[in-house]
Amino acid sequence: MATGAAPLWFTSLAGLGAAYLTVVFLRLLPYLALYLRRPKDLRRCYGEWAVVTGPTTGLGRSMAMELARRGFNLVLLDLDRDNLREVSEAIREAHAGAVATRTVVFDLSTVGTGAGEEGMRRLREAVDGVEVGMLVNNAAVARPGALYFHEADVERLVAMIRVNAMALTAVTAAVLPAMARRGRGAIVNVGSGSTVAVPSFPLYTVYSSTKRYVEQLSKSLYVEYKGKGIDVQLQVPFYVHTNMLSAAIKDRMLLPAFVATADDYTRAAARWVGHGHIAVPDAGQQLQWFLAAFVPDFAHDWYRLRKHLQHRAILWNLI
């Protein structure tokens, strides 16, 4: 070794450190570019109307409010007529009547049944004659969860599959043809960190499996329709303050810094529409996603099972 030369172990570690920082920079670079560029006028790019499923609470409500703020008229789809009326009136009042709304009462767990056909008919009537520029497939069911597969009620698991996978597919199929004819549009499918950031999600197995389907569907549709002027994107929230996340689990097991508010999340999410086939809109959650990639699968599996058994104990009063 030449006098004054750095030891091999030092140069090796320095090289690894430089590579690590380079990857971090490349991962964060899209965020910097996104916030430096002028925000996209989504309504002008895609069309005057947006369809939002599950718009009465949580992320869906915040996204509906955000799209209304950006000038979209809205078709709001949910199973509860009173909740739809409330959010529709709130949107019209917030914008002094400048935003038009239409509501569709549709229990998405009935897709594939006679009642589901009636719901699809009402959806087709609601979008008939208007230019739907964006579809936000937000509606999802996470319960039953924190249970071993054999402990869950099968009928509720089937309903989860209908809402999270079958209904999302059916609603997309109802809206996509008109977008294809016009040669423009955007479809945002809300995914889950349970499929993107970790290799398994035990005790929430069916939920994460439905979200894996949504992930694959989104990527393939992105490839199919990008050349036709339609942007299909999977947006991936991690933990967000919504009703899908038990208050007991939030209070006892999660660090507040890692749980985004619905409004903050959707403001970031709207900026990401049209930028790639997948987005983790929240910058803090993007960092979590990046760091999770350095953890081996067996460690993820062990940690997730341990944490979700704790969820099980909390939710089902086993402690």
Side-chain angles (χ1 to χ4, degrees):
M1 180 184 298
T3 303
L8 179 60
W9 65 267
F10 179 84
T11 55
S12 298
L13 288 177
L16 287 173
Y20 178 84
L21 291 175
T22 299
V23 173
V24 170
F25 175 76
L26 291 175
R27 177 62 68 86
L28 296 178
L29 187 59
Y31 279 91
L32 179 61
L34 184 68
Y35 283 99
L36 287 178
R37 71 164 61 103
R38 186 176 181 180
K40 180 183 289 189
D41 186 334
L42 299 179
R43 186 175 183 271
R44 178 175 295 178
C45 287
Y46 298 124
E48 297 181 356
W49 286 78
V51 176
V52 182
T53 68
T56 60
T57 62
L59 286 183
R61 185 184 183 97
S62 290
M63 181 57 82
M65 294 292 185
E66 178 64 22
L67 293 179
R69 188 181 69 81
R70 290 171 176 259
F72 280 97
N73 300 312
L74 297 171
V75 177
L76 306 173
L77 185 156
D78 196 76
L79 58 81
D80 190 290
R81 186 182 306 275
D82 291 337
N83 288 345
L84 279 172
R85 183 182 300 113
E86 185 277 326
V87 71
S88 181
E89 290 174 355
I91 288 170
R92 289 198 298 268
E93 289 175 5
H95 299 279
V99 173
T101 62
R102 297 182 177 184
T103 60
V104 179
V105 179
F106 188 177
D107 181 353
L108 294 175
S109 69
T110 64
V111 164
T113 70
E117 286 303 312
E118 175 61 22
M120 290 302 300
R121 183 191 64 78
R122 290 194 294 270
L123 172 60
R124 287 189 287 268
E125 285 183 355
V127 301
D128 184 44
V130 300
E131 184 183 39
V132 176
M134 183 178 296
L135 166 63
V136 180
N137 279 312
N138 163 78
V141 174
R143 296 181 178 89
L147 288 171
Y148 284 100
F149 184 81
H150 74 275
E151 296 175 328
D153 179 73
V154 173
E155 291 302 317
R156 292 185 68 191
L157 294 180
V158 170
M160 181 187 294
I161 293 169
R162 288 183 185 276
V163 174
N164 295 5
M166 295 175 62
L168 180 146
T169 306
V171 171
T172 300
V175 172
L176 185 55
M179 290 182 177
R181 288 193 296 270
R182 292 195 308 270
R184 65 173 184 161
I187 298 172
V188 174
N189 294 326
V190 178
S192 170
S194 67
T195 67
V196 170
V198 292
S200 66
F201 216 62
L203 278 68
Y204 296 87
T205 298
V206 174
Y207 171 75
S208 63
S209 297
T210 61
K211 290 299 186 177
R212 180 73 71 181
Y213 167 80
V214 174
E215 179 183 353
Q216 183 61 34
L217 178 74
S218 302
K219 177 59 185 296
S220 294
L221 289 179
Y222 169 83
V223 175
E224 281 186 47
Y225 287 94
K226 183 64 176 176
K228 298 182 182 297
I230 301 170
D231 293 319
V232 181
Q233 184 179 76
L234 179 76
Q235 292 199 346
V236 184
F238 288 17
Y239 289 118
V240 180
H241 285 290
T242 69
N243 291 335
M244 290 186 73
L245 188 59
S246 161
I249 290 176
K250 282 189 289 188
D251 293 341
R252 298 171 64 175
M253 298 192 63
L254 299 178
L255 294 174
F258 293 132
V259 184
T261 68
D263 289 343
D264 287 344
Y265 177 88
T266 53
R267 277 194 295 270
R271 294 184 68 102
W272 274 96
V273 174
H275 298 288
H277 75 277
I278 184 170
V280 179
D282 182 82
Q285 295 182 356
Q286 172 76 221
L287 180 60
Q288 292 177 61
W289 181 30
F290 170 74
L291 294 175
F294 289 89
V295 179
D297 284 1
F298 76 87
H300 274 300
D301 292 341
W302 174 83
Y303 179 78
R304 278 292 129 207
L305 180 59
R306 179 173 174 269
K307 284 295 182 183
H308 293 172
L309 285 171
Q310 293 175 0
H311 291 189
R312 179 174 178 268
I314 292 171
L315 293 177
W316 302 103
N317 296 317
L318 300 178
I319 56 174

